Amino acid sequence: MAGSGRVVRSIIKMLAYLAYLLAVLCSANCATFYDSYTGQPITKEEVKRHDKANNTFWCVNEIEPCDPDEFRRVDGSCNNLENPTRGAAHTPFVRVLPPIYSEGFEPKKAKSGNNLPLARKLRTSLLADGTVPGQTFTQLAVNVWVFATADVVSLHDTVKYIAWKPYCCLPKGKTDRDCVPNQVPHDDRVFRFSDIRCLNLTRPESFQSIGCVPNNTVPERIVSSTPLIDLSVIYGNHLSSLLKKGRLFEKGLLKFEVSNGKIWPPSTKTQANVCFLNDKVQETRCHETPEDGLNTLAGINMVGVWVWRLHNVIANNLAAVNPCWDDDMLFYTARDINIAIFLQIYYYELLPIFFGRDNLIKDGMISPSLGHRDLYNPKILPQLSLEYPFVSRWVHVIQEGSLKMYDADGYYLKKYPIVNLTLKTGFFDVDENMEQLTRGNFLQTSAKIDYIIDPDIGTVGLGPHQRASDLCTSDAAKNRYFGFQSYVKYRDFCFGKPIRSFDDLDGIIDPERIEILKDLYESFEDIDLIVGIWVEKPIKGGFVPPTMYCLVVEQLIRNMISDRHWYERPNRPHAFNLEQLLEIRRYTVARLLCDVGDKVTRIQPSAFLKAGKYNQLRDCKSIPSLNYWAWRDSSCQQNDERGDNYGKN
């Protein structure tokens, strides 16, 4: 029997490979080439010109004909049937407000024509360095938030200045236009006693810098992620990459490995190019996934491993209740459920605790009903606002610099600098590091929401990759290179109340910080978007700055309206029925860690919030799980002896 099983698996893999070859052959004859920026079809001659310029990967989207009844595509194409490229990778952002630059598309000047204050001076004047633990949110909340943001942007801009062009603070950097390092003032409160007068930074990659669009046009950022939250960090942005690195082609599973009793994504043989901070002696793990994003920041790494594992948990349970389903049906249904679970956790569990549940219901981002809802409008294209992922970087102010590690009984053991885990995937597979850090996610609180940032975030940033780095200073600088209008313009857009003087900020910003802003900026109209967000008072009923709330909610509502495959829709292809949707609604991040976290047996039900009197640790058996029988296909013949409980989790 074992031999026959191997033969069957070999046949399945061969058939899958043949299907892939057929898709490639069809692609050459059936697919249409599109300009990734305009979304318009282009000729093969135009494609050859991009081939010669070596930028086809970025500038051209090759898309097969759309099928209105297919599952969500891995590359995001055909989400909008009339505009098949929108929703795909390498497509342009939209802007909430038009960009503003100085001559030559350099960062804007102050209203007077003078230079704006140094980014580092702004950061150190408005955000102090220190450690103040919060008493509300857990590290898990921060890590899942960062993971959600990573799903819609790519980290090549960061890799650009830490790996490709690490020399911007050296003489060589003065001759490279891409280099735009941040100057450190001589009286800097941290670096004044050192020789550090420069923090490395490069310009964001754009359609112009890549060569897709002429340089005499407004720079528009380009990223390799799909613009909607679809777990592209896990499944990738291109079908060929998923087929090569992701799918096992058995029972709907993703590839996996078992090491030290733990399940991992497959490992790459070229880790020196990705996980180059691994200790070569004992830290050997480096994930080979459709996208390399899992190997980046520690929080993204951990959440990514859990979500990767969850896909296989779902696929195995679906196979148990539907033995007649083939690999494709199991894979794409498991992927659909996995994406829906993450969206449910993000929209209905994570953001309400930060933004205020009542606020989100009032503004239509979440529904007070458990049933379906359908807001789809094909006239709204599935695109990402440039402002959304940028203002989400506010989360830097509540990030702890170290991850705490706990034993199986919940006792604190030690802590490890989170900044030193960037591109260091192998650390998680040594000893019980993954187990201890997983417990730390829901037992350790985030930093307090205040005007203080962790010193590691403000002076180290990216660990040993740079001599010194300040994430918030980089945010303030990027604010200008993205061409964002001033903070007061966004306030006007969001709330319809123009700011006409510094005094009009009273009640929006604390008086003492208004005084600091007056000292730093010549005019209230010069205040940078991210700087205003740093010092705003929290939104009523929530914990985040109101302008950030506005720009995040604006995008997340657009996601629902523009996404033909939105999981709450009753009319989408392969839609969940009511019973299935209710199962998705019941699933929580606590259940996720019970299902796929390493040795997690007890957890608080609201795992994004600190455990305490009204949120006590409890056995995982009491945390509601998914009943996969809601997905039972009546056409599959079940053996009577399996019983009613077969396939339930």
Side-chain angles (χ1 to χ4, degrees), residues 324-360:
C324 72
W325 280 11
D326 62 14
D327 174 67
D328 266 1
M329 188 64 180
L330 288 169
F331 176 82
Y332 284 105
T333 304
R335 177 173 175 262
D336 196 36
I337 294 172
N338 206 13
I339 293 171
I341 283 174
F342 187 80
L343 288 170
Q344 175 70 25
I345 289 172
Y346 185 54
Y347 270 69
Y348 284 86
E349 187 176 4
L350 177 65
L351 293 185
I353 63 175
F354 281 102
F355 288 26
R357 178 178 172 80
D358 291 342
N359 291 333
L360 295 180

Side-chain angles (χ1 to χ4, degrees), residues 358-371:
D358 291 342
N359 291 333
L360 295 180
I361 291 175
K362 175 177 65 70
D363 290 328
M365 201 191 91
I366 63 175
S367 172
S369 168
L370 296 177

Side-chain angles (χ1 to χ4, degrees), residues 134-393:
Q135 297 299 307
T136 304
F137 309 107
T138 61
Q139 277 293 98
L140 181 63
V142 174
N143 288 335
V144 170
W145 192 338
V146 172
F147 179 87
T149 304
D151 194 68
V152 295
V153 294
S154 49
L155 290 174
H156 64 269
D157 281 342
T158 301
V159 174
K160 181 179 178 181
Y161 74 84
I162 69 172
W164 303 340
K165 299 191 174 186
Y167 51 74
C168 290
C169 286
L170 301 176
K172 181 180 179 181
K174 295 180 180 179
T175 61
D176 190 332
R177 185 179 182 275
D178 271 346
C179 286
V180 287
N182 284 304
Q183 182 181 340
V184 176
H186 287 281
D187 62 350
D188 188 271
R189 66 173 62 149
V190 176
F191 295 129
R192 69 175 68 186
F193 301 115
S194 74
D195 63 346
I196 295 174
R197 293 293 173 263
C198 177
L199 303 176
N200 198 24
L201 192 68
T202 51
R203 294 177 191 270
E205 292 287 8
S206 66
F207 283 92
Q208 286 75 10
S209 65
I210 294 292
C212 305
V213 177
N215 280 326
N216 60 352
T217 55
V218 175
E220 294 294 351
R221 189 183 187 191
I222 188 170
V223 298
S224 59
S225 296
T226 52
L228 298 179
I229 300 173
D230 57 3
L231 298 185
S232 57
V233 178
I234 304 298
Y235 299 106
N237 306 312
H238 300 280
L239 181 59
S240 59
S241 182
L242 174 67
L243 293 171
K244 180 181 178 181
K245 296 183 178 181
R247 288 187 62 176
L248 183 63
F249 293 110
E250 291 182 21
K251 300 180 180 179
L253 300 173
L254 290 169
K255 293 178 181 177
F256 65 94
E257 295 177 355
V258 180
S259 174
N260 297 326
K262 295 184 282 291
I263 296 173
W264 300 96
S267 56
T268 180
K269 307 304 180 186
T270 59
Q271 61 172 293
N273 298 326
V274 183
C275 306
F276 53 80
L277 275 193
N278 276 358
D279 180 334
K280 302 301 186 291
V281 177
Q282 59 176 347
E283 296 176 357
T284 59
R285 176 153 299 282
C286 190
H287 309 314
E288 181 173 57
T289 58
E291 301 300 321
D292 288 331
L294 287 194
N295 294 303
T296 53
L297 306 179
I300 297 172
N301 206 322
M302 286 185 288
V303 177
V305 169
W306 300 329
V307 176
W308 185 281
R309 292 170 178 172
L310 183 60
H311 174 98
N312 284 357
V313 169
I314 296 169
N316 282 328
N317 278 280
L318 289 175
V321 298
N322 296 311
C324 72
W325 280 11
D326 62 14
D327 174 67
D328 266 1
M329 188 64 180
L330 288 169
F331 176 82
Y332 284 105
T333 304
R335 177 173 175 262
D336 196 36
I337 294 172
N338 206 13
I339 293 171
I341 283 174
F342 187 80
L343 288 170
Q344 175 70 25
I345 289 172
Y346 185 54
Y347 270 69
Y348 284 86
E349 187 176 4
L350 177 65
L351 293 185
I353 63 175
F354 281 102
F355 288 26
R357 178 178 172 80
D358 291 342
N359 291 333
L360 295 180
I361 291 175
K362 175 177 65 70
D363 290 328
M365 201 191 91
I366 63 175
S367 172
S369 168
L370 296 177
H372 292 95
R373 62 172 175 162
D374 192 354
L375 304 175
Y376 180 60
N377 181 353
K379 294 182 179 180
I380 306 298
L381 299 181
Q383 292 179 283
L384 189 72
S385 79
L386 188 60
E387 287 87 351
Y388 162 71
F390 179 76
V391 299
S392 295
R393 296 174 74 86

